Amino acid sequence: MNDSIVKPIQAALFAKNIYVLVDIRLPDLAYTLVKSTFKDELEITEKSFTSAKTGGPGFIKSTTAFGLMAFGKGAYEGHAFVILRGTKKTFPADWLTNFNLATSRSTRGQLVHDGFNQAFLSMRAQLKAFITDFAGRGVRTVHCIGHSLGGGLATLCAEFLEANTTLKPYLYTFGAPRVGMAPFATSLTNSLSYERMYRIYHRTDIVPCVPFWPFVHAPLQEKEEAYDYFQPSAGSFPAIKMHDMKEYVKTIGKQGWSELRGKRDEHFGEQGINRWLNDKASVSFHVTNLEWLDKAISYVVGKCLKAMGMAMSNAFSATFTLMDRLAYILRKGINLATAISDLVLNLIRKMMSMLGMKPILEKADATHAFITRIFQQMSARVGAYCQRALDSVLVNGQGM
């Protein structure tokens, strides 16, 4: 194992212990408490603290102590760390599942979730200042670590560090939501490489399921057998506690990175997606089916766009909302060749089944308004589970 890589349990403890910042009520105690928490690994100064402004559209934004940008010591001499936590209460789950949310451009010019990007931009000046000390401190390795929203922001920090330094960061995330669209995930995967990206997520953690497609996770899972850090968890239905960092620490235990890989038993290839869509059996609302649904949406929309002569990269960059564009494309698809029309109708029927509706749908009934309503209901269902998960971990001193 490369000595530059942080071991799984250490990365998990960094992500868990950064939540000490949630418990700080008096600013004067921050320095002492954080220095004590990370005394063996990090050199903590008053400049180490990172703040970020968070909050969705229409919500009051707040700036809070969000993490650390610190230099390693002892075994981590020559290493730099960006460790970020989830935020508390100001980042509602329904924003993550809202198809009408905005997008903006990342450091490399790729479309990303605007809420994550705005929070990242609020800490960018601190990140720039942190970088200026790299040469003088002999930094040869940099690590970006985060849980939940903190994982999303760590992803954007990794992109920025790769673009603005000579170093290629290591990225470690736990239960993180999706940050950007496919071009962002492709760009980041190519610039960092699979070997430097460690995305750990439990089967029944609902947060990694949002935001819905066209947002996707990085790294892209073209090499999922070798570089997928999916972790099985009991059952298939969303389990609130499986988003908690304590559960991730427990899951990891003493395992190394190689032991944590290749545990997925579902494989979402084209043949499997077609089989899932064409299966007439009813499907329930659980996280495995949400993954199938996500892959199926991507597959069906791709088929529609190809038939329409439109590139995927252009389809969701217009001024229309994501929901409007998605409903428009699928409605157009119904009027295309029979094979594509059947795919679209089967996709909508699957969603109806997952929502507890009778999956009976004729071509004439699949109007733009109907398609929009089905996606809105699915979004609300996922949002409700997501909010319950976040409310639960807030009780344990953690948050989104």
Side-chain angles (χ1 to χ4, degrees), residues 208-229:
C209 294
V210 296
F212 272 173
W213 190 90
F215 294 95
V216 299
H217 281 292
L220 295 177
Q221 292 306 313
E222 296 170 357
K223 299 181 179 180
E224 65 178 5
E225 291 297 329
Y227 297 104
D228 184 50
Y229 294 91

Side-chain angles (χ1 to χ4, degrees), residues 102-121 124 152-164 179-189 191 215 218:
T103 57
S104 55
R105 298 286 176 178
S106 71
T107 299
R108 290 286 191 188
Q110 305 297 341
L111 285 176
V112 295
H113 185 292
D114 185 61
F116 297 151
N117 205 29
Q118 293 305 317
F120 164 74
L121 291 174
R124 186 172 60 179
L153 295 183
T155 301
L156 292 171
C157 286
E159 183 197 41
F160 182 86
L161 287 163
E162 190 279 328
N164 289 277
V179 175
M181 297 188 186
F184 169 79
T186 299
S187 173
L188 188 65
T189 302
S191 60
F215 294 95

Side-chain angles (χ1 to χ4, degrees), residues 263-282:
K263 296 187 176 182
R264 172 174 290 287
D265 52 11
E266 299 91 4
H267 302 283
F268 305 102
E270 181 174 331
Q271 185 176 7
I273 293 170
N274 272 298
R275 186 166 53 249
W276 187 79
L277 284 170
N278 291 321
D279 188 346
K280 303 300 182 184
S282 62

